Amino acid sequence: QVQVVESGGGLVQPGGSLRLSCTASGDIFGIYYMGWYRQAPGRQREMVARITTKGTPEYADSVKGRFTISRDNAKNTVYLQMNSLKPEDTAVYYCYADIVPQDGYQNDYWGQGTQVTVSS
């Protein structure tokens, strides 16, 4: 069994910072992309950032310069450092990992989501 679990959401004032973490565990052979999506009420889920195994990041235009994605391959963990947060960043943030399990085929595995609320 493979699991992906996020942590680190919460309530923060505009201009503040939060750090999200996400760890994949279980019978894993390899992990390719890891990343974050978010979904605000009434809106479609959108990609926020993703990162390759070698550490090459990709960001949505709306978060460039404010968010930083990183990963620790030894811990199967990806992080999202969010600075200069804005009310429009309010959403449920979902982690995903492109995983090849020991006994299965490559697939995207998703976390349960963590709420980020930016409000004064």
Side-chain angles (χ1 to χ4, degrees), residues 24-91:
S25 62
D27 295 329
I28 296 171
F29 176 77
I31 304 178
Y32 297 99
Y33 277 106
M34 298 186 81
W36 297 89
Y37 276 67
R38 67 186 180 187
Q39 187 166 19
R43 301 190 66 176
Q44 288 188 331
R45 190 176 294 193
E46 62 175 356
M47 194 274 285
V48 176
R50 64 179 184 174
I51 187 167
T52 68
T53 306
K54 292 186 177 181
T56 302
E58 180 181 343
Y59 298 97
D61 288 342
S62 59
V63 306
K64 282 181 181 176
R66 300 188 297 122
F67 291 10
T68 302
I69 189 169
S70 60
R71 68 189 280 176
D72 184 334
N73 291 330
K75 296 181 179 180
N76 291 340
T77 298
V78 63
Y79 306 96
L80 186 67
Q81 179 66 43
M82 304 185 292
N83 298 329
S84 302
L85 282 160
K86 304 175 181 180
E88 51 263 43
D89 294 317
T90 296

Side-chain angles (χ1 to χ4, degrees), residues 97-117:
D98 185 9
I99 295 173
V100 179
Q102 292 282 3
D103 60 353
Y105 294 96
Q106 185 175 345
N107 204 352
D108 283 345
Y109 290 79
W110 292 85
Q112 77 285 359
T114 185
Q115 177 70 45
V116 172
T117 302

